[in-house]
Amino acid sequence: MTEQLKEEKLKKVNIKHIAKIANLSTSTVSRALRNDPEASKETIEKVKLIAEKLNYYPNAMAKSLRGDKSYTIGIVFNDMNNPFYSDVLRSIFEKLNKLNYSIIVTYYNWDFEQERKNIINLISKRVDGIIYSPIISQLNQQTDNISLLMENGIETVYLDNYPDKLNVCYSGGDHKKAIYLATKHLLDNGHRDILLYSAMPDTLYAKQCEDGYIGAFSEKKFEINKELFVTLDNFDFQNSYIYFKKFITNNFKNKKLKFTGIVATGDILAISIYKVANELGLSIPDDFSIVSYDNIEIVSALNPPLTTIHQPRKEIGENAVRILLHNINNKKNRKIEKSIMSPYLVNRKSVKNLKQI
Amino acid sequence: MTEQLKEEKLKKVNIKHIAKIANLSTSTVSRALRNDPEASKETIEKVKLIAEKLNYYPNAMAKSLRGDKSYTIGIVFNDMNNPFYSDVLRSIFEKLNKLNYSIIVTYYNWDFEQERKNIINLISKRVDGIIYSPIISQLNQQTDNISLLMENGIETVYLDNYPDKLNVCYSGGDHKKAIYLATKHLLDNGHRDILLYSAMPDTLYAKQCEDGYIGAFSEKKFEINKELFVTLDNFDFQNSYIYFKKFITNNFKNKKLKFTGIVATGDILAISIYKVANELGLSIPDDFSIVSYDNIEIVSALNPPLTTIHQPRKEIGENAVRILLHNINNKKNRKIEKSIMSPYLVNRKSVKNLKQI
DNA sequence: TTGAAAGCGCTACCAT
DNA sequence: ATGGTAGCGCTTTCAA
């Protein structure tokens, strides 16, 4: 018997091998392995013992081929640079791994062809659902890749960004309100000339940020200077650093453009501004104040600590999972849920109160 | 025909459906779909057209069940907090997604039971290989989870940490040398009392860091004060911040313990020290100098910009993939390769030269 | 309580 | 060039 065991160990073990050794049929082994009440206690014990000795691990592919669940969730993200997404990912992992789901993560860095390939790959792998953080165009909300998902009836929860004209599940923050709060905070501190330092032109995200900014100004009936709207191609730290250094040298230091405050639509952008300020000997908040959006952990370590709008990343991840699993497990009773976490101001020291002067 | 097409669209489409509509056998359809030269050009065209119209996506599980490759790689990481791992992950994604591999990411946050469950899950999913960043105990290198992988003959590349007494594939940095360089830099600048601010007690990593520190001191025949060795439980930012704030208040400000320089074994640790320094009105580098390890992007934005040892994350990820794929695709010609990237100093402004005084 | 057999979707062998 | 069939590892009838 032990000899036989050793030999079996070398091949990939399956229920047939176990059945042979246990002198049982594969059906019985299958039942025993799953603690099926139809199987007798002794059989279960015997089978499990052999399985362990043989290093048996059930073939998940065969299982899902047979059944209709893969216990796998696909994640389609674009921007791994941004700590925001790492934090969201972490909370998704924590929930899903405990439930023994696998998570296939996909990353494409604004390459839509690659994104499409990744999504097709996920469809082929027959994931039970997808959490998708898309780049949404301001004009054409129904991108090819969103259509792909919808046409194939893939259970999807949109995260962080979503096509607001479509009736889809969503978990994320209220970007418009966030930037509204940021702008309002500067306004309340007496700032009137406020740079909107934004990213990803023509996307819904940029639009929402702009709307938030405009909303705060309109509310107080202050005039908006559109020359102070700057939009970067992406949220890349290095890119933003280079851009802002040029920008400030060409426009601010020589007083072509004057502003006393900056609203940055992401902490990464704000951090790059700190770098420029350090290098150019500019003082925050004396030369300009800054409010940003995200509140990633480390911005509290900047000097001065960054005032920013908090985006609840843990909750965003958890809600995405909750909504997704609900719809996967209740196909007949799907809910189109939108979970929108409210942002709030974290007041630190990067804003100067101009009224006190 | 179009009616038929519509109906077929509602079910999950497979080659049988295509075969029926095309009036061909499943074998022929299968061949056509894969551009098998045995299939005629017209057949290929015809089949592909139907497949597209039906929204056909091959079932990857059936494919891999049949063949012996899943085109899936498992990642087993522990510390998603640390931007180091995000950066490595990114480079792994970039290489692997292009090759149409799926990546199942697993995260366990120092919970070894969860880690084990995750690994078993990966085995069940029949991944082609695993990239694993384990926590290695200084004493017992052969942990249960490493044994699990070895016993099951799972192709594995260790990343960042590895059991150096075992003959395994590895891609990572030379931690000992890194901390040696950091310490030497402080020594060269006239520092003698240097705090080693480390994390993860009893791990090989902590040991390697200690060895690097000791190496630099021994080389110059300076004496080491073991009271200046501090080891945190983990690399958590918040945890380190709280700890260091207490530590410095209890030991440094009241001159119980004196040191002029700090070597931190990870940028996250260093950043938390900046936060404490800001809050306590301590000046870096006047009150103490600091050199760290990793060189994540944003540390250049700190004030003063952080002097740190660069760890080439992109290359570490790429090499892990290269080694893994080589062994997967050349089962008969496996290589036990260790790729160790050399760290180097990035000199910024967080170190004061004591000799100039 | 157990076993035999069909079938999940695909590929590869052997015919034709 | 194409079709029939067996089988990858598993679950689930149906029968005993």
Side-chain angles (χ1 to χ4, degrees), chain B residues 274-307:
Chain B
Y274 269 71
K275 181 171 178 179
V276 173
N278 284 346
E279 292 182 1
L280 264 33
L282 260 19
S283 156
I284 301 170
D286 286 331
D287 287 308
F288 49 77
S289 297
I290 178 163
V291 181
S292 164
Y293 179 31
D294 274 347
N295 192 30
I296 59 179
E297 222 172 15
I298 53 116
V299 297
S300 62
L302 293 171
N303 189 9
L306 179 66
T307 295

Side-chain angles (χ1 to χ4, degrees), chain A residues 208-262:
Chain A
Q208 289 163 338
C209 292
E210 211 178 294
D211 286 349
Y213 179 100
I214 293 173
F217 269 77
S218 308
E219 196 180 58
K220 313 234 181 199
K221 310 227 189 306
F222 291 140
E223 217 173 305
I224 291 171
N225 175 6
K226 290 245 173 181
E227 273 188 61
L228 292 175
F229 285 20
V230 167
T231 310
L232 301 179
D233 284 342
N234 55 44
F235 277 103
D236 183 70
F237 175 80
Q238 187 64 15
N239 177 48
S240 166
Y241 159 70
I242 292 170
Y243 180 90
F244 194 78
K245 195 161 186 177
K246 253 189 227 152
F247 175 82
I248 203 111
T249 327
N250 293 341
N251 296 289
F252 185 79
K253 286 201 114 177
N254 61 19
K255 303 196 172 158
K256 260 194 198 162
L257 213 55
K258 84 180 193 14
F259 54 86
T260 59
I262 303 178

Side-chain angles (χ1 to χ4, degrees), chain A residues 14-15 27 30 34 56 59 63 66:
Chain A
N14 59 32
I15 49 172
S27 348
S30 166
R34 282 171 296 127
Y56 168 78
N59 185 321
K63 263 190 169 152
R66 188 68 238 278

Side-chain angles (χ1 to χ4, degrees), chain B residues 279-335:
Chain B
E279 292 182 1
L280 264 33
L282 260 19
S283 156
I284 301 170
D286 286 331
D287 287 308
F288 49 77
S289 297
I290 178 163
V291 181
S292 164
Y293 179 31
D294 274 347
N295 192 30
I296 59 179
E297 222 172 15
I298 53 116
V299 297
S300 62
L302 293 171
N303 189 9
L306 179 66
T307 295
T308 190
I309 307 296
H310 181 80
Q311 184 161 209
R313 298 175 289 285
K314 189 159 177 277
E315 292 78 359
I316 288 173
E318 282 170 357
N319 283 328
V321 171
R322 182 178 51 70
I323 296 170
L324 187 61
L325 289 184
H326 174 272
N327 283 345
I328 287 172
N329 296 324
N330 301 277
K331 296 254 182 230
K332 300 290 159 211
N333 192 21
R334 293 184 65 238
K335 276 184 209 145

Side-chain angles (χ1 to χ4, degrees), chain A residues 44-64:
Chain A
I44 293 186
E45 250 175 62
K46 182 172 153 197
V47 166
K48 289 208 167 172
L49 191 71
I50 298 176
E52 208 190 318
K53 282 206 178 168
L54 291 182
N55 270 338
Y56 168 78
Y57 298 101
N59 185 321
M61 293 183 306
K63 263 190 169 152
S64 352

Side-chain angles (χ1 to χ4, degrees), chain B residues 14-15 30 56 63 66:
Chain B
N14 61 31
I15 50 172
S30 167
Y56 168 78
K63 265 190 169 155
R66 188 67 239 280

